[in-house]
Amino acid sequence: MIAFDFAYFRPETLKEANETYKQLIIAGKLPLYYGGGTEIISMARAGSIRFDAVIDIKSIPECNTLCVENNQLIIGSAVTLTKIAESGCFPLLGKTVSRIADHTIQDKITIGGNIAGSIIYREAALPLMITNSKVKIIKKNKLHELPLLEIFDGNLHLQNGELIVQFLIDTNYLNLSYCHVKKTKLDKIDYPLITLAAIKTDNGINAAVSGLADKPFLLPVKILNEQDVPEAVRADKTVGAIQNNIIGDLIIAGKEYRMFVLKNVLVQMFENFKEAQYAGI
Amino acid sequence: MGYIIGQNIIRKEAFNKVTGTAKYTDDFIATGIYHADLLVSPYAHAKIISIDISAAASAKGVKKIITGNDINVLCGPLIDDKPPLAKEKVRYHGEPVVMVVADCEQNAKAAVAKIKVNFQPLPVVNSVSDALKENAVLIHENLQQYKKNVSDVYPETGSNVCGHVKIRKGDLQKGWQESELTIESNFTLPQSDHAAMETRAAQCQIMPNGRVIVCSSTQAPFSVKEQINKTFQVPIEDIDVNVLFVGGGFGGKAAVQLEILAYIAAKAVDGHTVKIASSREKDMITTPCKIGLEAKIKIGAKKNGKIIVAEMHYNVDCGGYADIAPRIAKAIAVDCAGPYNIENISCDALSVYTNHPVATSFRGFGHTSLSFCIERMMDKLGAALNIDPIEIRMINALTEGCYSPTQVKVTLSNTGNFGECLNKLKTLINWHEGQRIVESNHLIRAKGVGCFVKTSDSPTNAISGVLLTFNSDGSINLNCGAVEIGPGMKTTAAQILAEKLKMDIGRIQVKMEVDTQTSPVHWKTVASMTTYMVGRAVISAAEDLIRQLLNGAATILRCTPEDLEIAEEKIFLKTDQKIYLTFKDIVHGFQYQNGNSIVGQIMGRGNFIMNQLSYLDKETGEGKAGPYWTPGAQAVEIEYDTIQHTYRILKAATVVDAGKVLNPKTVKGILMGGMCMGLGLGTSESFIYDAEGIVQNTSFRTYKMMRYGETPDYLIDYVETPQLDAPYGSRGLAEHGIIGIPAALANAISLAAGIDVTKLPITPEQIWQQKEGVRQ
Amino acid sequence: MLAFKDKSIISLNINGDNVTVMVNPSYTLLHVLRENLGLTGTKPGCENGDCGSCTVLVDGWPIKSCLMLAVEAIGHQVITVEGLKNAPIQRSFVENWGFQCGYCTSGFLMVCHALKNIHPDADDFIIEQWLQSNLCRCTGYGEIKDAVKAVLENKI
Ligand SMILES: Cc1cc2nc3c(=O)[nH]c(=O)nc-3n(C[C@H](O)[C@H](O)[C@H](O)COP(=O)(O)OP(=O)(O)OC[C@H]3O[C@@H](n4cnc5c(N)ncnc54)[C@H](O)[C@@H]3O)c2cc1C
Ligand code: FES
Ligand code: FES
C-alpha cells in the first residue's frame, strides 16, 4: 500500500506527454514518467520516493515500437522485457533481459524504465552499451537522436521532463557472436554478482558489466583485445585495471570475491568466443 | 489391512484452496473497520529520548496513537520481559515503538511517517559471544524483577542469560580417561525467518458486553486467549479467538504478538474492530524469527569409533526478548546427543539475549541447529578414524535399552529404529558407488549424511480434545482445536475417525475454523504432535460414540452390546449382518412405530492428556520431556565445481521411522517441504546484520529462499516401527524433513571441497574463502 | 488522454465482467481486487514483486498485481483465480497435492494456466523460467511440477 496519493495520466502522444509534464511543473507538482512502474510502485510503498503525478507512457505509439527500419532495430522505451525476449529481435539483449528479475516481472518492466531506474544494475543497458546504440529522447519539446553513451555512462543523465522514446541499434550488431553471463550469489533469481554482456566484432571484443560497481560500465577494450597476451593474463589485467571500481557489500559478496568471479567469467568468455558462434551461457 | 489408513486422501478443503475461496485472516474485508500500523525501531539498541506524535495525531483519518508509555504491562510466554510497545529503550531492529490506529490502511501508514522519535543509540550486543562476555552490556538491566510464568526457567541475574538447562549424565572424568581420541569444534548458525507466505495478521473487537473477539493467523489460539487474559486481566471466558485457514506457520505463528497489539488498539478506540497485518518487511524482523546458535562441542571416542563422552555448550541467540527460546534451549539439551548413545554427557544450553530480532519456535524446534553440530562432529570423527560416515553412525546408533541424555530408557516403541533408517538410506542414495566421485577435471559429486531424533518438549500437561456430533442422515461433524496451517491435520483427523468407525471419510465433515468458544482446547498446533494428540482424542471420541451406539442399538435390537459390530454406518449383529440399524436410524433418537422414542442425540467426546512427562531436574536434566522420539537419516548429494567453488544440489534423501504412514502423498509432501526448507537454510537463508545489529535483508529480494527448479530430486523412504500408544502406530514427522538436511549438505560440501564447514549458510564465496585461505 | 487527479470512478474488466470501482490512482490492482471487489483469492505475500502470490492475468499474461496500479488495468482484461472456472490446472493441483497451506496457490495457478495457453509445448526450461517467479514455502515444489506437467501433457 502506498501511503500517499498522486495523479495518473496516460497520454496518447508524445506531445501530450510532454505537455502534461510541463503543465504539472507549472502547477508546482512533481511528475514522473511511468514505464512499467515496478520501481516507482516499490519505492513509493517503501516511502523512499514521493511525487505528485505519474505520466504513463505505455499508450504512446512511438514508445511501443519494435521493428527494423533502415537497417536499424528500433525498440520503444515502453516495450517490456518479455516482448523483447519473445520477439528474438536481438538475441544478446533477449538473453540479458530474460535474466532480469523473474519471468512474470519481465512482462511489466520496460526497457526504458530499467535503464532510467535507480537500481545500480540496469542490466538491460549492457547490450546497448557495447553496440554503439543510439537513443531518441524528447528534449526541449523536440525529438533528438544521440549516441546512448552521450547521456548514459552507467547512470542516465537526463534533465527534468526529458523522456527516452526509443533505442536504435544498427542491425549489423544484432547477430554477431555474443556472450552473456549472469553470476549470482547462488540462486538463479537474484541481483547479479556480475552480469557480463559481450560481443565480438571485426575489431575485437566489446564487453560491459553490471553488479561490480554502483553502475554498469564498459570493460577496457584495449586490454581485452591484446592479441599477443594469453587470455588468462588478459583476464587478470582486466581485473587489475578496474579493481578500483569494484565494490563489496554485506549481502551479495565482498570485493575480493567479485574479482575472483570476474576473472572466471572473463576466462569463460574468451573460451566461448573461441569455441562458438553464439555463446550464451 | 487398514480400512482407510495408508491411502492417499485428498485434503478436505482442497477445492476451496484452488478456487481462491478458502479464507485467511486478512481476507476478512469489511468497511468501517480500523487499521493499525506500527512505527518500528531503526536501531538495534537505543534509548527512547522523546516521541513527537503531534503531526501524526492531527493527520487524516487518525483515531488514536499509542506509545509504550500508554500501556503498563509486560508480557511473554515464559518470562514477562516484553512491553508490547517499547518503553524507555528498544532492544532490537524492528521492535514496535508506536502504534497508529486510523480509518484505513493508507492513513495509518501515512501517519506513521509523520511521527518523530528521538533515539539515543546504545552499544549493541551483536552476537551471542558478545552477550556472554564479562562486563557485557546488559540488555535487560532488571532481569531479576521480571515475573516468571513457569517455574522451570532459570534466568541468571546480572547477565544476558535468560535460561540455562543442564544435562549431566554418567561420569565425565571416567569418559575422558577412557577416550583414545578427542575432537572439538565450534559452530555458528544465524537467525533466519519462517517466511510463511501469509504474513502475520490479527484483528480484535471488544463488544459492549465485554467480549473480546480476536481473529488471528495463529497456531496457538488457546495461548492467545491465555496471554490476553494474563496480560490484561480480561476474564478468560470473555475472550474468543477465531482462526480461519493459516497460510503456513512453521512455528512462527505460535508466538503471540499482533493479537496483543490488536487488543490494545481496539481497547483504545472503544472496542471498534481494528485490523493489524504485517508487511513482509515487518513480518521478518518485527515479529519473531528463528533462533541463532553458537555451539562448542567436544567428544571423546575409542579408536573403534565408539563415542564415550561429550561436553557440549549450546548458546541460543534469542534476540531482544525471551519468548519461547528457553524452551528451545531445553529441547536442544534433551536431544543434545542426536540419535546416538553417549554414556557420559555434560551439556549446557543457554538462552542468551542479544540485540537481534526476537526468536521463537521454528520447524524442528532447535533440532536443525543441534543436528548440524552433532552431524558435523560425526563426520569429523569418522574422517579422523577413517571410518565410513554411515558406519560411524551405526556404531554409535541409539538402540533399545540405551538411555537418552535425560535418562529415559529407549524402547523400539518410543524411539523407533534408527539403525534401520541408516540401512535404507544407504540404498536410497546409492551409497556403495562411493561418497566422493570425481566426474571430470573440475566437477566432483559428493554425498553427505545428516541424521536426527526428535521429541516434542510440550508442557507436561498438554491436552487436546475432540467433539463429534451427528447430522440427521448419520454423517458426522468433527470439531477439534488444531489449526489447519497446511499439513492437512484436519483431514488426518477425519481419516483416523473413518478408520476407527470403518466409514466413508466423505461422510465426515471437519470444522476447518477454530473458535476457542466452541472448539475443544488443543495445546498448540506445533511440535509435530497434532496427529498424535488429536488422533488420540479422535479415537477416544470414537470409542465414546461406539459405546453409545452399541448400547442404544442393543436395546433396540434386543441383544447385548457385545453382540454388535459397527461398519459402514451400520450397527449389526455379528452373527447375522442382515439384522442392523443404520446411524441415521438412531443418532438423533430412535423412534418406534407408535411414536415412542429412545436413545436421544448421540455425541462423542474424546480427550487426550500427555502422561508420564516430567520437569527436568535443574542440575542433571533427568526427566521425560516428550512422549516419543521420531528418528531419521537424511542425505544430500551435490555436484561441486572446483574452479568456481559453486555447487548444485542433485539429490536429497530422507528415511524416517514413521511408525505408520497414514496418508502417503500428504506425508511425502510434508517431508519434501521440510527438506526444501532445510536446503534453504543450508544454502542461503540467514539474517545479515551490519555492525550496528541492523538486519540488511528484510525482503524476499535479498532474503533468498529456494525457488522452483533449484530443488533436487527428492528420495523418500520409510521404516515403520509402530509406536504403541499412537494412533495406528504413527509417529509425528511434520517438522522432520528439515532437521538433518543442512548438516547433510555441509558434510557433502566439506567432503567435496576438502574444507571444514562450521557455519551456515554455505555460499560459494565462503567456500572460496576457505579454499583460498582468504581472510573474511 | 486518461487522467485521474484524485479519487475516481473507473471501469475495469475483471473475469469477463465490466465493473466500476472508486479508487485512488495510487491503489495497486492487488488492493482494489481484494478490498474493493472482495476478490481475496489474490493474495499479498510481499507487495514487492518477489513472491508471486498476487499474480493475475492481464490480457492473458501473468502479472504481479502488487506492482500494477488499478488505473493501469483500464482497457485490459484481468483474470483472477476466481475467474478460472474449472480450469484443468485447478484439478491438477488438487490431484497432485500441489499445495499445503494454499496461500501461494492462486499465484501458481495463474502462472501455470497462462503457461499452458501461451506455451502448450513448454519444455522444462520454459516451465522453470515461468514458475521461478513464485515462491511456495510449504511444498518442495515437487508436487507443483507434477501438477503443471500433468496439464501440459493433457493428462488432466
Ligand atoms: C522482483 C524484482 C527483481 C528485480 N531484479 C532486477 C535485476 O536483477 N536486475 C535489474 O537490472 N533490475 C532488476 N529489477 C528491476 C528494477 O529494479 C526496476 O524495477 C525496473 O528496471 C524498472 O523498470 P520499469 O519499467 O518498471 O520502470 P518504472 O518504475 O516505470 O520507472 C523507473 C524510473 O525510470 C523512469 N523512467 C521510466 N521510463 C522512462 C523513460 N522512457 N524515459 C525516462 N525515464 C523513464 C521513471 O520516471 C522512474 O524514475 C527487479 C525488479 C523487481 C520488481
Ligand atoms: S505480493 Fe506481489 S509479488 Fe509478492
Ligand atoms: S502451499 Fe503454503 S506457501 Fe505454497
Side-chain angles (χ1 to χ4, degrees):
Chain A
M1 169 113 256
I2 299 171
F4 59 93
D5 286 328
F6 51 81
Y8 174 86
F9 301 91
R10 196 196 287 175
E12 310 279 330
T13 63
L14 283 173
K15 190 155 175 276
E16 226 174 27
N18 196 33
E19 204 47 41
T20 308
Y21 197 99
K22 268 202 306 202
Q23 291 304 326
L24 284 161
I25 293 287
I26 289 166
K29 305 278 184 195
L30 177 62
L32 277 185
Y33 287 121
Y34 185 99
T38 60
E39 176 175 305
I40 294 177
I41 296 177
S42 22
M43 288 179 70
R45 185 186 69 93
S48 39
I49 47 169
R50 265 199 97 103
F51 45 86
D52 301 305
V54 295
I55 302 169
D56 187 345
I57 60 169
K58 291 194 290 288
S59 288
I60 301 171
E62 289 89 336
C63 296
N64 277 315
T65 326
L66 183 63
C67 66
V68 174
E69 247 172 48
N70 302 328
N71 295 327
Q72 282 193 318
L73 171 66
I74 307 175
I75 306 177
S77 60
V79 175
T80 64
L81 304 187
T82 298
K83 278 220 186 71
I84 292 171
E86 295 259 331
S87 75
C89 61
F90 181 0
L92 172 58
L93 183 61
K95 191 113 199 169
T96 308
V97 299
S98 62
R99 285 296 310 276
I100 291 177
D102 61 54
H103 182 266
T104 301
I105 302 270
Q106 284 156 20
D107 197 29
K108 196 84 193 346
I109 295 178
T110 62
I111 184 165
N114 186 256
I115 290 171
S118 66
I119 194 164
I120 62 173
Y121 305 111
R122 301 180 199 113
E123 289 174 72
L126 299 174
L128 306 181
M129 291 169 78
I130 55 174
T131 49
N132 273 330
S133 304
K134 301 191 196 69
V135 274
K136 263 194 194 160
I137 60 170
I138 294 268
K139 192 182 169 94
K140 303 220 171 87
N141 309 333
K142 284 213 181 69
L143 264 182
H144 291 259
E145 188 177 310
L146 343 145
L148 172 71
L149 295 180
E150 212 163 278
I151 55 162
F152 185 83
D153 61 359
N155 289 322
L156 184 66
H157 299 282
L158 286 184
Q159 302 301 312
N160 279 347
E162 294 176 2
L163 171 73
I164 304 181
V165 180
Q166 287 166 348
F167 298 94
L168 312 150
I169 306 108
D170 195 325
T171 46
N172 290 330
Y173 283 101
L174 301 183
N175 293 308
L176 292 174
S177 57
Y178 68 88
C179 174
H180 169 264
V181 188
K182 178 165 178 169
K183 293 279 182 206
T184 59
K185 184 177 180 178
L186 193 68
D187 307 63
K188 189 162 164 211
I189 305 295
D190 199 356
Y191 288 142
L193 186 58
I194 297 180
T195 298
L196 171 134
I199 50 156
K200 197 167 177 185
T201 67
D202 294 343
N203 299 328
I205 297 170
N206 239 343
V209 288
S210 152
L212 285 175
D214 58 3
K215 59 180 187 184
F217 64 91
L218 292 165
L219 292 180
V221 183
K222 244 183 89 187
I223 303 177
L224 288 180
N225 294 295
E226 282 179 313
Q227 292 311 326
D228 37 1
V229 178
E231 285 160 353
V233 180
R234 274 190 257 166
D236 274 332
K237 283 177 80 177
T238 308
V239 176
I242 62 163
Q243 64 172 316
N244 290 339
N245 295 356
I246 300 178
I247 51 167
D249 66 59
L250 264 176
I251 295 180
I252 298 185
K255 176 169 174 170
E256 278 79 19
Y257 181 63
R258 284 179 199 270
M259 288 165 59
F260 165 76
V261 176
L262 174 61
K263 187 185 161 190
N264 285 336
V265 167
L266 290 172
V267 169
Q268 205 178 331
M269 175 193 78
F270 286 128
E271 203 59 35
N272 284 319
F273 277 130
K274 257 198 316 218
E275 279 171 8
Q277 268 298 108
Y278 305 105
I281 304 156
Chain B
M1 243 210 47
Y3 178 81
I4 186 174
I5 291 298
Q7 290 179 26
N8 290 318
I9 305 296
I10 289 177
R11 59 177 66 236
K12 291 245 162 203
E13 76 282 16
F15 278 95
N16 302 351
K17 285 184 172 171
V18 294
T19 47
T21 41
K23 291 277 184 247
Y24 302 76
T25 302
D26 207 32
D27 293 342
F28 169 81
I29 309 287
T31 45
I33 66 172
Y34 294 165
H35 292 252
D37 200 355
L38 298 171
L39 180 142
V40 302
S41 171
Y43 292 96
H45 200 192
K47 252 201 167 111
I48 302 170
I49 305 293
S50 63
I51 301 178
D52 176 3
I53 58 166
S54 54
S58 56
K60 191 168 115 193
V62 171
K63 301 291 173 191
K64 202 84 187 182
I65 297 184
I66 307 157
T67 71
N69 287 334
D70 301 325
I71 326 159
N72 209 8
V73 297
L74 290 174
C75 55
L78 305 176
I79 305 173
D80 282 351
D81 62 353
K82 189 170 84 166
L85 294 169
K87 224 173 168 149
E88 286 158 27
K89 70 173 192 172
V90 289
R91 295 182 173 88
Y92 68 94
H93 173 215
E95 180 167 359
V97 180
V98 186
M99 179 161 57
V100 173
V101 184
D103 60 350
C104 71
E105 192 186 341
Q106 195 181 23
N107 288 340
K109 200 174 164 188
V112 166
K114 294 193 164 84
I115 299 169
K116 293 188 193 71
V117 184
N118 190 358
F119 293 99
Q120 182 187 59
L122 294 167
V124 171
V125 178
N126 208 1
S127 69
V128 169
S129 23
D130 275 2
L132 293 176
K133 277 193 188 129
E134 244 180 275
N135 301 323
V137 172
L138 290 187
I139 294 166
H140 292 264
E141 299 85 349
N142 302 322
L143 183 52
Q144 71 286 357
Q145 288 168 16
Y146 292 146
K147 182 170 152 275
K148 291 199 297 178
N149 297 313
V150 289
S151 57
D152 58 336
V153 169
Y154 314 107
E156 296 178 359
T157 308
S159 78
N160 286 315
V161 175
C162 60
H164 186 166
V165 182
K166 290 184 205 165
I167 303 288
R168 301 289 181 266
K169 178 190 167 199
D171 181 344
L172 226 57
Q173 210 183 355
K174 184 164 152 273
W176 290 121
Q177 275 162 6
E178 285 174 9
S179 303
E180 295 165 340
L181 162 93
T182 59
I183 309 243
E184 198 173 338
S185 188
N186 293 341
F187 301 97
T188 314
L189 303 172
Q191 286 190 326
S192 58
D193 197 44
H194 303 85
M197 281 300 116
E198 177 206 31
T199 60
R200 283 161 270 214
Q203 278 164 42
C204 181
Q205 179 179 20
I206 305 170
M207 305 297 281
N209 66 359
R211 285 197 68 74
V212 173
I213 300 169
V214 177
C215 182
S216 155
S217 60
T218 178
Q219 294 172 254
F222 298 93
S223 308
V224 171
K225 187 165 158 150
E226 272 164 32
Q227 288 211 35
I228 292 179
N229 159 256
K230 170 181 81 80
T231 310
F232 303 102
Q233 275 78 53
V234 180
I236 196 136
E237 70 272 21
D238 277 346
I239 308 163
D240 190 13
V241 182
N242 300 308
V243 191
L244 308 171
F245 286 111
V246 173
F250 315 113
K253 290 172 181 165
V256 180
Q257 182 184 26
L258 291 188
E259 298 86 351
I260 299 257
L261 291 170
Y263 171 79
I264 291 170
K267 184 89 186 158
V269 293
D270 300 326
H272 202 98
T273 305
V274 181
K275 174 166 171 171
I276 180 164
S278 292
S279 64
R280 176 55 62 188
E281 292 79 0
K282 287 194 184 117
D283 197 69
M284 287 219 172
I285 55 168
T286 299
T287 52
C289 63
K290 169 186 147 309
I291 60 160
L293 180 76
E294 289 182 17
K296 186 185 172 100
I297 316 273
K298 190 174 155 192
I299 55 175
K302 293 273 195 198
K303 288 209 172 108
N304 63 8
K306 183 85 195 95
I307 303 173
I308 306 290
V309 58
E311 214 175 307
M312 321 191 218
H313 295 271
Y314 291 102
N315 298 329
V316 168
D317 182 351
C318 64
Y321 298 96
D323 196 75
I324 205 84
R327 287 290 187 247
I328 305 174
K330 174 188 161 195
I332 289 176
V334 164
D335 289 333
C336 63
Y340 308 107
N341 179 40
I342 306 179
E343 304 274 337
N344 308 294
I345 299 178
S346 162
C347 169
D348 291 272
L350 304 184
S351 354
V352 184
Y353 288 128
T354 64
N355 290 124
H356 289 164
V358 179
T360 191
S361 50
F362 175 88
R363 190 177 207 159
F365 209 59
H367 285 71
T368 309
S369 308
L370 102 88
S371 291
F372 178 78
C373 306
I374 293 297
E375 295 299 313
R376 280 295 296 133
M377 291 305 284
M378 294 309 287
D379 262 37
K380 285 169 191 244
L381 179 63
L385 293 169
N386 211 3
I387 299 177
D388 169 276
I390 289 192
E391 189 52 34
I392 193 86
R393 287 168 169 83
M394 209 58 117
I395 292 169
N396 290 289
L398 201 57
T399 49
E400 240 186 318
C402 300
Y403 285 84
S404 80
T406 67
Q407 304 176 40
V408 176
K409 189 168 180 183
V410 167
T411 67
L412 262 182
S413 167
N414 77 6
T415 310
N417 191 339
F418 172 56
E420 193 48 33
C421 293
L422 278 172
N423 276 333
K424 283 201 163 175
L425 182 72
K426 261 178 142 167
T427 317
L428 201 58
I429 195 81
N430 200 10
W431 191 254
H432 76 266
E433 72 167 344
Q435 211 199 333
R436 187 177 190 276
I437 299 149
V438 178
E439 299 271 279
S440 72
N441 62 352
H442 69 110
L443 290 179
I444 290 170
R445 194 152 56 81
K447 297 166 195 171
V449 175
C451 302
F452 61 82
V453 69
K454 182 183 182 296
T455 190
S456 78
D457 299 284
S458 67
T460 56
N461 61 349
I463 55 173
S464 186
V466 161
L467 290 177
L468 302 175
T469 54
F470 278 105
N471 299 306
S472 56
D473 65 350
S475 60
I476 299 183
N477 304 305
L478 190 163
N479 184 2
C480 67
V483 177
E484 185 50 70
I485 55 177
M489 49 275 284
K490 299 278 194 183
T491 305
T492 306
Q495 195 183 7
I496 291 170
L497 182 61
E499 176 74 29
K500 185 75 193 168
L501 294 176
K502 299 196 193 66
M503 71 183 277
D504 176 5
I505 190 173
R507 300 268 297 158
I508 298 171
Q509 293 305 325
V510 191
K511 185 169 178 223
M512 287 293 160
E513 303 78 21
V514 171
D515 117 42
T516 57
Q517 193 180 4
T518 59
S519 306
V521 175
H522 176 71
W523 164 53
K524 294 178 186 177
T525 308
V526 296
S528 312
M529 279 286 131
T530 312
T531 301
Y532 177 62
M533 294 177 65
V534 174
R536 284 277 301 266
V538 166
I539 289 176
S540 139
E543 280 164 355
D544 189 31
L545 274 193
I546 291 171
R547 197 163 18 80
Q548 295 172 55
L549 289 166
L550 293 181
N551 283 338
T555 312
I556 298 156
L557 297 177
R558 280 165 278 205
C559 61
T560 69
E562 290 73 32
D563 295 328
L564 297 169
E565 206 173 299
I566 292 179
E568 312 283 357
E569 296 179 42
K570 284 182 191 148
I571 309 135
F572 52 83
L573 265 183
K574 285 178 187 164
T575 49
D576 184 356
Q577 300 198 6
K578 292 205 186 78
I579 300 180
Y580 66 85
L581 290 168
T582 63
F583 283 6
K584 181 175 185 295
D585 297 332
I586 182 172
V587 294
H588 283 185
F590 179 82
Q591 200 171 25
Y592 289 97
Q593 269 169 356
N594 70 353
N596 291 169
S597 300
I598 57 165
V599 182
Q601 186 174 174
I602 293 178
M603 290 179 276
R605 298 170 312 166
N607 86 80
F608 170 80
I609 183 162
M610 291 286 177
N611 62 43
Q612 310 275 315
L613 301 192
S614 60
Y615 297 131
L616 302 190
D617 182 86
K618 188 178 177 196
E619 298 308 325
T620 66
E622 187 176 347
K624 190 172 178 203
Y628 64 87
W629 282 269
T630 302
Q634 300 183 291
V636 170
E637 181 174 327
I638 59 151
E639 184 184 78
Y640 168 68
D641 181 324
T642 57
I643 298 173
Q644 312 209 39
H645 303 306
T646 50
Y647 61 90
R648 276 193 318 134
I649 302 162
L650 306 175
K651 287 179 189 161
T654 296
V655 181
V656 57
D657 191 335
K660 172 77 199 165
V661 177
L662 300 181
N663 189 346
K665 277 199 170 181
T666 297
V667 168
K668 188 173 174 210
I670 294 165
L671 288 171
M672 291 196 290
M675 291 157 81
C676 180
M677 209 180 237
L679 291 170
L681 292 182
T683 58
S684 55
E685 290 187 41
S686 86
F687 281 167
I688 300 168
Y689 318 96
D690 71 3
E692 303 305 320
I694 304 304
V695 183
Q696 302 296 296
N697 50 342
T698 62
S699 79
F700 288 157
R701 195 73 57 82
T702 42
Y703 183 97
K704 308 305 285 183
M705 300 185 290
M706 301 297 282
R707 283 180 188 265
Y708 185 98
E710 293 172 342
T711 52
D713 287 341
Y714 297 103
L715 310 169
I716 291 175
D717 201 356
Y718 306 99
V719 172
E720 293 187 312
T721 313
Q723 179 196 329
L724 302 178
D725 67 336
Y728 303 101
S730 71
R731 266 167 233 289
L733 42 66
E735 298 165 282
H736 299 64
I738 194 173
I739 301 178
I741 291 289
L745 177 69
N747 283 334
I749 290 176
S750 296
L751 181 72
I755 57 171
D756 178 11
V757 175
T758 57
K759 285 183 183 163
L760 291 177
I762 312 159
T763 61
E765 180 174 14
Q766 279 165 14
I767 303 174
W768 167 79
Q769 279 169 341
Q770 278 208 39
K771 290 300 286 180
E772 316 279 320
V774 180
R775 209 170 47 82
Q776 301 200 4
Chain C
M1 176 172 73
L2 279 177
F4 303 104
K5 299 194 174 127
D6 225 323
K7 201 174 250 304
S8 315
I9 293 175
I10 63 169
S11 173
L12 296 176
N13 187 289
I14 314 281
N15 297 331
D17 292 333
N18 287 321
V19 295
T20 41
V21 275
M22 171 98 103
V23 306
N24 280 346
S26 68
Y27 285 175
T28 59
L29 180 61
L30 170 67
H31 180 86
V32 170
L33 288 173
R34 290 175 55 81
E35 304 280 331
N36 298 50
L37 299 168
L39 297 171
T40 54
T42 306
K43 303 288 187 215
C46 67
E47 293 187 80
N48 197 45
D50 297 311
C51 74
S53 61
C54 66
T55 306
V56 300
L57 304 187
V58 177
D59 300 334
W61 284 80
I63 288 284
K64 294 183 179 178
S65 64
C66 67
L67 290 187
M68 177 162 192
L69 298 174
V71 287
E72 258 184 290
I74 296 170
H76 299 280
Q77 303 210 331
V78 178
I79 305 283
T80 69
V81 67
E82 289 88 350
L84 280 185
K85 303 273 188 280
N86 297 323
I89 192 66
Q90 292 170 294
R91 200 150 56 78
S92 190
F93 263 63
V94 169
E95 289 175 5
N96 288 288
W97 267 249
F99 54 90
Q100 291 174 29
C101 81
Y103 198 83
C104 69
T105 311
S106 312
F108 269 102
L109 290 171
M110 301 320 284
V111 172
C112 295
H113 186 69
L115 176 64
K116 165 81 181 163
N117 289 340
I118 292 168
H119 286 292
D121 307 319
D123 58 11
D124 282 352
F125 179 81
I126 296 181
I127 298 175
E128 187 175 310
Q129 195 180 32
W130 282 57
L131 270 66
Q132 279 192 329
S133 305
N134 296 49
L135 284 168
C136 172
R137 191 58 160 169
C138 299
T139 74
Y141 302 103
E143 308 91 324
I144 295 178
K145 185 177 191 169
D146 295 343
V148 68
K149 289 208 152 178
V151 165
L152 287 167
E153 288 160 14
N154 295 316
K155 288 192 185 143
I156 293 276

